[in-house]
Amino acid sequence: MNKGKFITFEGVDGAGKSSHIDEVISFLELQKIDVIRTREPGGTKLGEKLRELLLHDEMDPETETLLMFAARKQHIAEIIKPALDKGVFVVSDRFTDATYAYQYGGKQVSYAKIEVLESWVHPELKADLTLLFDLPVEISIERLKKNRSPDKFEKEDESFFNRLRNVYLDLARQNPKRYKIINANQAIESVAQDVIKAIKTIL
Ligand code: TMP
């Protein structure tokens, strides 16, 4: 049996990726592809508990990084790997690239330490396709201002968002086969078209 494909969605907060995930799920189901939607941090019962802590409690940046990977280990063992092994597609709202962007770029945790955790927790697993929802930081901040109950990350300042956007763009440059940059600063229909076009490249 063929393995399922692993698709990840990434980007700064406020880039609007979540609503496009729904469209991708519907599109894949129309193609008669078995697919599950999941997210990080989270995706499992334990992971969702860790998500609550991660999004709302202040903590040391390295503690935060370790908890992200603890949640991820559980997510891979319980959800991602069994699904891919059965030939099911997995669409995840964020994965390890977010740790490079937010904890290395944003919080300035050592890149090398994150690499160690990645090679420990998932030495083999890589996304088949990563959609990076990109938009200028000023616009993402404007969108976030409309959110009345921002989480810990959404309250960060412009320089934090600029650093993490640059890390994402560097990752996209370093992994041109896996990454597709989606311009999130255009009409929602055009974003949706670009997303589906990117998905078709791995079918
Ligand atoms: P979401 O708002 O896109 O669901 O993501 C939750 C927040 O968690 C978002 O602000 C990014 C952050 N995050 C990290 O800081 N590191 C990570 O490894 C992941 C997966 C998410």
Side-chain angles (χ1 to χ4, degrees):
M1 181 190 289
N2 286 334
K3 278 186 70 119
K5 303 266 188 204
F6 185 30
I7 302 167
T8 58
F9 279 62
E10 298 283 357
V12 294
D13 297 88
K17 62 188 164 43
S18 298
S19 53
H20 292 285
I21 297 180
D22 292 333
E23 287 159 11
V24 167
I25 301 289
S26 307
F27 173 77
L28 291 172
E29 284 172 349
L30 268 176
Q31 318 299 310
K32 307 264 182 272
I33 291 171
D34 276 341
V35 57
I36 55 166
R37 175 185 181 153
T38 187
R39 68 173 181 180
E40 289 209 348
T44 63
K45 206 167 162 204
L46 175 69
E48 291 295 324
K49 286 187 184 167
L50 292 172
R51 180 184 176 93
E52 272 308 298
L53 296 174
L54 282 161
L55 265 53
H56 302 290
D57 289 30
E58 290 306 326
M59 59 185 80
D60 175 85
E62 290 195 350
T63 308
E64 189 173 281
T65 306
L66 289 163
L67 286 180
M68 288 291 178
F69 272 99
R72 183 163 297 136
K73 174 75 220 186
Q74 190 64 26
H75 192 203
I76 294 167
E78 208 179 307
I79 306 287
I80 300 176
K81 193 168 180 303
L84 295 175
D85 287 347
K86 275 192 285 179
V88 174
F89 278 42
V90 176
V91 178
S92 186
D93 191 344
R94 300 193 187 279
F95 192 60
T96 296
D97 294 333
T99 313
Y100 286 103
Y102 282 77
Q103 279 65 49
Y104 161 67
K107 303 265 175 103
Q108 300 179 314
V109 170
S110 145
Y111 194 93
K113 286 183 180 171
I114 298 174
E115 279 183 320
V116 169
L117 290 171
E118 178 178 8
S119 61
W120 177 16
V121 169
H122 58 97
E124 319 262 273
L125 179 65
K126 282 255 179 250
D128 295 289
L129 175 68
T130 297
L131 299 183
L132 172 59
F133 280 63
D134 183 57
L135 85 172
V137 163
E138 313 81 76
I139 298 173
S140 118
I141 287 175
E142 273 311 304
R143 291 189 189 173
L144 288 176
K145 278 187 190 153
K146 293 181 192 137
N147 178 352
R148 276 156 207 267
S149 50
D151 64 38
K152 188 175 95 184
F153 296 102
E154 291 165 345
K155 288 184 203 145
E156 290 284 354
D157 64 13
E158 188 167 339
S159 64
F160 179 94
F161 285 112
N162 268 314
R163 290 198 300 276
L164 77 88
R165 181 187 185 205
N166 288 335
V167 172
Y168 270 135
L169 290 172
D170 279 347
L171 287 169
R173 262 177 239 123
Q174 288 157 18
N175 301 280
K177 285 206 181 111
R178 169 166 70 91
Y179 259 87
K180 175 80 189 130
I181 300 178
I182 303 291
N183 172 10
N185 188 22
Q186 52 176 342
I188 192 155
E189 300 77 20
S190 311
V191 177
Q193 274 176 11
D194 290 353
V195 168
I196 297 300
K197 202 167 134 201
I199 297 291
K200 283 180 177 165
T201 63
I202 59 157
L203 298 185

